[in-house]
Amino acid sequence: MRLIKQNIERDGSGTVTLFPDEPEDMWFVYNLIRPHDLLRASAIRRVTTESSTGSTSSTRIHTTLTIRVSKSDFDPQSSQLHVSGRIAEENKFTKLGQFHTLDLELQRNFTLEKSEGWDSIAIAVVKEACDPAKTADVWAVVMQEGLANLAVLTGSRTVLRQRVEMAVPKKRGGNAGDHDKVNGIKKPGLSKFFQITLDTLIRQIDLNESKPILLASPGFTAAAFLKYILETATRTADKALLGQRPNFIVVHSSSGHLHSLNEVLESPKVLAALKDTKYARETRLMNDFLTMLRKDDGRAWYGPREVERAAEKGAIGKGGGVLLISDALFRAQDVAVRRRWVALVDKIRDVERGEVRVLSSEHESGKRLDGLGGIAAILTYPLEDLDEDDDEPEEGNEDVGIGVAVNGDTNEPV
């Protein structure tokens, strides 16, 4: 993402013009745009005109529209973002109050004005989105015989890029090449599966970049695939592919399905290799929190009321205090709910001097946090009885701005 122009006053009013240049940028834009914001972008609109004889004609015209946002819809697989609202500034093609949906596109500027002003969270999203280091952190191939899921892990989310599926015949007698063997067992057709998977991987990654590439599978499939990659690169004298050799990491997974990537990313071997990535840092923090929670020593608390009580007592501050909060809380439709969490983040970071981590709800660490209500804290000193019920429920605690399901599938704002 490129910052084209920023005009933010001290009171938070003003506009920011951004230029998204890669699909990952759309995730940041989705987290940035809220209901009631003013969004200005290029658009295509169908205009109907009537001639003097009474006949009508319809044409599609390119124009620039400003809408008052009512809702946004993000497709994580295609990284497409559609923002709907009513037109806030009329022109010769449109009237004030007409409804329109803007399709935000790559390589096209848009300008955003926040209805409630630019708070610290919104400014942080812009800063992170425009950080040149914000690129794909890790590539992963989670596979089993006949199935391979190619995914990319960025600082914000995990995206399935391609799935390879084909039938691999069971072992049988006869001649089989070395590529058709896994741990010495003949697997006719396996080399064809490996070749298709390798061709798909090469189309997805940039061989000139040095990024970790995880190969995960049950049994020995991943190890056999790496052997096939290196032998193919040697046979074809592919120096770029051979140069990726140090980046391949073979690990075990329970299956070749994408959900197995979660367990892969928590293995000590992978965490050590990914120690400098945003994902690994967030995973370590979440693991530390859960370890403290199991110890039940009063230093790990989760839930809106409990965390706010700890903050009121100054227990999430300098010297080890960490606030873990899901980005889904800042996508709440209710302005008061968003302000509540922005105020808490500002207090912990600017007043108490504690550490604040906003976890992506599209990563496994963020999903686990969503299952705990979207907010948790590691305290600088132990506190007891933060979860004791009052005689009357506290106002506002019924709506924390995030939906939580027992099975962990719901992590979108309600």
Side-chain angles (χ1 to χ4, degrees), residues 145 177-187 190 194 217-225:
E145 292 178 20
D178 290 339
H179 302 317
D180 290 324
K181 295 180 180 180
V182 175
N183 200 28
I185 301 174
K186 295 178 181 179
K187 301 280 185 175
L190 196 58
F194 282 166
S217 75
F220 301 94
T221 305
F225 180 49

Side-chain angles (χ1 to χ4, degrees), residues 41-60:
S42 60
I44 299 176
R45 189 169 177 86
R46 185 175 294 277
V47 177
T48 302
T49 57
E50 183 176 350
S51 68
S52 58
T53 61
S55 62
T56 60
S57 62
S58 180
T59 57
R60 293 166 62 88

Side-chain angles (χ1 to χ4, degrees), residues 236-412:
T236 60
D238 191 333
K239 293 182 179 180
L241 185 56
L242 280 173
Q244 292 290 328
R245 182 171 187 164
N247 295 326
F248 287 107
I249 304 171
V250 176
V251 289
H252 178 269
S253 65
S254 59
S255 77
H257 296 282
L258 189 61
H259 64 76
S260 297
L261 185 59
N262 299 332
E263 64 187 67
V264 170
L265 294 170
E266 291 196 9
S267 71
K269 180 180 179 181
V270 173
L271 287 177
L274 308 182
K275 61 183 179 180
D276 295 327
T277 66
K278 181 175 182 287
Y279 178 90
R281 292 192 296 269
E282 292 180 353
T283 299
R284 281 196 299 270
L285 275 173
M286 199 64 204
N287 288 341
D288 290 345
F289 169 79
L290 293 174
T291 299
M292 290 184 180
L293 191 63
R294 285 191 291 269
K295 290 180 179 178
D296 194 23
D297 62 358
R299 286 196 58 209
W301 289 92
Y302 65 90
R305 180 177 56 185
E306 291 80 359
V307 172
E308 287 182 317
R309 285 179 172 177
E312 290 171 1
K313 297 177 181 293
I316 317 174
K318 188 177 180 180
V322 182
L323 174 68
L324 304 172
I325 187 166
S326 170
D327 60 7
L329 292 180
F330 302 109
R331 295 198 296 270
Q333 299 295 313
D334 190 334
V335 173
V337 171
R338 297 201 304 273
R339 284 178 174 174
R340 172 187 180 184
W341 302 125
V342 171
L344 179 63
V345 167
D346 289 344
K347 177 180 180 180
I348 298 301
R349 183 178 54 208
D350 301 333
V351 179
E352 303 295 341
R353 301 299 179 185
E355 181 179 355
V356 175
R357 288 285 182 176
V358 180
L359 272 57
S360 171
S361 56
E362 290 292 306
H363 272 328
E364 179 60 22
S365 55
K367 291 177 180 178
R368 287 192 292 173
L369 183 60
D370 286 348
L372 299 174
I375 187 167
I378 298 173
L379 310 188
T380 53
Y381 55 85
L383 289 175
E384 303 296 335
D385 303 327
L386 291 178
D387 55 351
E388 284 191 350
D389 292 331
D390 296 333
D391 294 335
E392 296 293 337
E394 292 185 17
E395 182 181 355
N397 280 337
E398 294 79 4
D399 180 9
V400 300
I402 185 171
V404 180
V406 174
N407 61 10
D409 290 338
T410 302
N411 57 22
E412 290 300 319

